[in-house]
Amino acid sequence: MVLDENTIEKIAHLSRLQINDEDVPLYARNLSNILDFVGQMEAVDTAAVEPMAHPLSVSQRLRADQVTEVNQRDKFQAIAPRVDSGLYLVPKVIE
């Protein structure tokens, strides 16, 4: 896909990017190359490829789910500006 200078200027305007006029041809060439590469990747048949969350077959080491700190809720709520029934009260910010 070949992008012309007008398209690059429209993309820059929509993206709120300021591009110097002398750099527009470079951006046009680079973005065209990127879109051509994406087109090549879309053309690859991936029907037989199994979806995966991570390319490596390793698992994350997890720590034991144990409480390691003492409950300090009362201490923290004592210094909070406003609390009610164990909940922190904050000003309404969304109508």
Side-chain angles (χ1 to χ4, degrees), residues 18-85:
Q18 182 178 359
I19 298 176
N20 296 329
D21 291 337
E22 61 270 6
D23 292 337
V24 170
L26 175 66
Y27 280 94
R29 185 172 59 251
N30 287 340
L31 286 174
S32 295
N33 289 340
I34 290 169
L35 293 175
D36 288 340
F37 183 65
V38 170
Q40 291 175 11
M41 290 178 21
E42 286 179 343
V44 174
D45 180 21
T46 59
V49 177
E50 180 181 344
M52 61 179 112
H54 196 277
L56 302 176
S57 59
V58 295
S59 60
Q60 179 71 28
R61 293 184 309 178
L62 302 175
R63 63 175 173 81
D65 191 14
Q66 298 173 347
V67 177
T68 59
E69 297 182 10
V70 297
N71 184 358
Q72 299 182 39
R73 177 179 163 195
D74 294 332
K75 177 183 172 184
F76 294 139
Q77 289 196 344
I79 60 173
R82 293 177 32 204
V83 293
D84 183 28
S85 302

